[in-house]
Each structure stands twice: as structure tokens, then as C-alpha cells.
Amino acid sequence: MSRWRRPAYPAYRPPMTGIPTFATPPSFLGLQRNDRAAAYTVAGIPLDIGVTNRPGARFGAQAIRQASRMLVDGAHPHSWIDPAALPVADIGDFEIALGDLAGSLALIEQQAAVCTHLLALGGEHGITLPLLRALNRREAAPGLVHFDAHVDTWPDSFGQAYGHGSPFFHAIRENLVDPHRMIQVGIRSPVQREVWDWTLAQGVTILTAQDVHELGPAMVAERIRIVTGNGPTYLSFDIDALDPAFAPGTGTPEIGGLASWQVQAILRRLQGLRFVGMDVVEVAPPYDVSEITALAAATVVWEYLSLVAR
């Protein structure tokens, strides 16, 4: 009786295609550097205890880092810069005070103050206030480019003075930004008329989402340039500036927002602005679909790195 023998197939050798996506280090863009002395530092800020609707932004930084691994295949196709090759480090997450909003804001300011050029991954939009306080130790009252569905200039958020709807009310009152060099892009949420009028009265320029749709990216970018001028400028990007079709994973979605291509087209036209820091906030992964919100946020940071490197 014959005995069956396994055929002598040659040993399988996997193709040599470099590091596979799933093996990319879990830092932003898979960065190996993690020291604070880098020219640019990425830090997560897992805070969401000042939100007014859906929580979950505390998980935003982790999701943005995960999605950023889609962006390590080569250079930026517009600037031909590889952001991952820049002198940038991912220094991990900032410490926060559990359950203590005021204490957390103080800790964020303290940790941000030692970073030369910070790219912060939120977290709720309330983190921008301590980041601007820290920035003002080096750059007094910078201009501000603010992408958002909401003006975030309410005096309080349902009684919470430092909730995520109030960072720019306090930033203006504390002279942390120059409101005459401040522009808000994508605004469209319900808002009390007195809040809207107060914001305009401070000198802030508001471009609604409808304005963006009608003007187009080139004219919006030109308006940003006119408002901010040549001085130091901070970028604060709330992911709900995007329409929920492009960014469902956020706590306060508003319909009628910007498309992801519009945001890219605007940002790519801001070459030459003197950016001194940025944040991307309000990514709430529990409500995301296939990581599209986190990928949009990661891409905003990637676009920003390409801008400042040029």
C-alpha cells in the first residue's frame, strides 16, 4: 500500500516590499523621534470633560496617530516635501488632571510652554485656550486662522466658563490673539445674535460655510492672507468644520459644512504665512466611520507640516 507524501514545494518567501502598514510604529506618521528639542513637536491632549454634546474626543489623538499611517508612502504631491522626514517628534500625550477642567488647562499650558513649535492633537476645543496662553510667552497676540462650524466665542458653555464653546471668548478677552488678524472659516451652527455681534465687534472676520461654497478655495485663501498679514499666526482646526459626510466622528456635527477637498485646496494656498503652532480638535472616534474623520484630521496636520516646511 502506497503512502501519500507531501509535494516538495519550494519554501515560501514573502515579497520584500518594505515595512508593511500594520507594522508602522504607532506614533504620528510612524515617527521614531520623541524628544522635545525637535523643531516641531506633536503631542496628544486627551481631554473632553468640557464638551456639551457627545463625549469621546479624549480618544482623538490615538485615532489620529493610527490613521496617519496612511500618509507615510511618500512625498506630498503638491509641495514634494515628505513631512515624516522633517525634524518633527511625537512626544506622546500631555498629562491632564482627571475630572478637573481648570487643573487640566493649567497642566496643558505648563507642558506646552516648553515646546518650540507645537502641533496638538485633541481633545476638545477648550485645549486651545491654554495652548494660546503658552504661545503668548513667545509670540504676543498672534493672528488666528480658525476652521470650525461654531464661533466658540460664547461667554460660557451652558454655565461652564471654560467649556469647549468658549476658548476664543477668553482668548480675545485675555489679549491672547489679535482679533483684527483673526478669521473664522466654515461657521454655520445656531448662535445667539448677541454672540455673533460681539464677535464681529471685536474685529473678527467670519466666513460662513455658505461663503466658502460660493467664493471657492482660491478667494477664501486670499481673504485669509489679507486678514492675517505677515505676522505670527496660529491655526486651530475643529474637525466639525467639515460636513458630517466627511467627518461624522465628532461631538457636535453640523450639516452644510466644508468638503475635505475644499480644506486641502485652501490650506495649500496659505504658503508663506508665518505659522507658529496649530491644533486639530474634536475628533471623537466612537462616532467615526472607517476612520475617515481621524484620517481627515491626520491629513490636516500633514498638510500643515508641508506648509511650514516650505
Side-chain angles (χ1 to χ4, degrees), residues 292-309:
I292 63 172
T293 311
L295 178 59
T299 305
V300 167
V301 183
W302 183 73
E303 292 282 358
Y304 177 86
L305 279 168
S306 297
L307 273 179
V308 296

Side-chain angles (χ1 to χ4, degrees), residues 165-228:
S166 305
F168 300 114
F169 172 80
H170 297 292
I172 292 172
R173 292 283 296 268
E174 296 178 24
N175 297 314
L176 301 178
V177 295
D178 180 352
H180 296 282
R181 296 183 54 238
M182 174 177 172
I183 183 167
Q184 300 181 309
V185 182
I187 306 302
R188 62 191 184 277
S189 78
V191 59
Q192 296 85 351
R193 184 58 184 267
E194 59 269 24
V195 173
W196 183 274
D197 289 346
W198 181 89
T199 306
L200 292 175
Q202 308 312 303
V204 177
T205 300
I206 299 176
L207 292 182
T208 67
Q210 195 66 40
D211 292 332
V212 175
H213 300 322
E214 293 175 359
L215 291 172
M219 291 188 68
V220 171
E222 182 60 24
R223 190 70 179 277
I224 292 172
R225 286 181 172 280
I226 291 170
V227 171
T228 57

Side-chain angles (χ1 to χ4, degrees), residues 14 19 22 41-42 82 92 98 119 171 174 192 237 239 248 265 287-289 294 296:
I19 299 175
F22 62 82
T41 50
V42 175
D82 180 3
L98 184 61
L119 292 71
E174 296 178 24
Q192 296 85 351
F237 196 101
I239 204 65
Y287 319 106
D288 207 353
V289 176

Side-chain angles (χ1 to χ4, degrees), residues 33 82 106-107 129 151 183 203 210 240 246 286 291-292 303 306:
R33 187 172 183 176
D82 180 3
L107 279 172
L129 179 60
V151 291
I183 183 167
Q210 195 66 40
D240 67 33
F246 301 93
E291 295 184 332
I292 63 172
E303 292 282 358
S306 297

Side-chain angles (χ1 to χ4, degrees), residues 19-45:
I19 299 175
T21 302
F22 62 82
T24 302
S27 57
F28 186 75
L29 298 180
L31 296 169
Q32 301 284 357
R33 187 172 183 176
N34 61 6
D35 61 289
R36 295 175 184 266
Y40 307 103
T41 50
V42 175
I45 308 181

Side-chain angles (χ1 to χ4, degrees), residues 240-296:
D240 67 33
L242 292 171
D243 189 88
F246 301 93
T250 191
T252 50
E254 306 281 356
I255 69 163
L258 278 58
S260 51
W261 72 265
Q262 290 175 303
V263 166
Q264 282 189 300
I266 294 168
L267 290 176
R268 291 177 182 184
R269 287 173 166 85
L270 299 183
Q271 179 184 354
L273 266 63
R274 190 157 75 86
F275 285 112
V276 292
M278 68 90 67
D279 60 63
V280 59
V281 296
E282 299 288 351
V283 174
Y287 319 106
D288 207 353
V289 176
S290 302
E291 295 184 332
I292 63 172
T293 311
L295 178 59

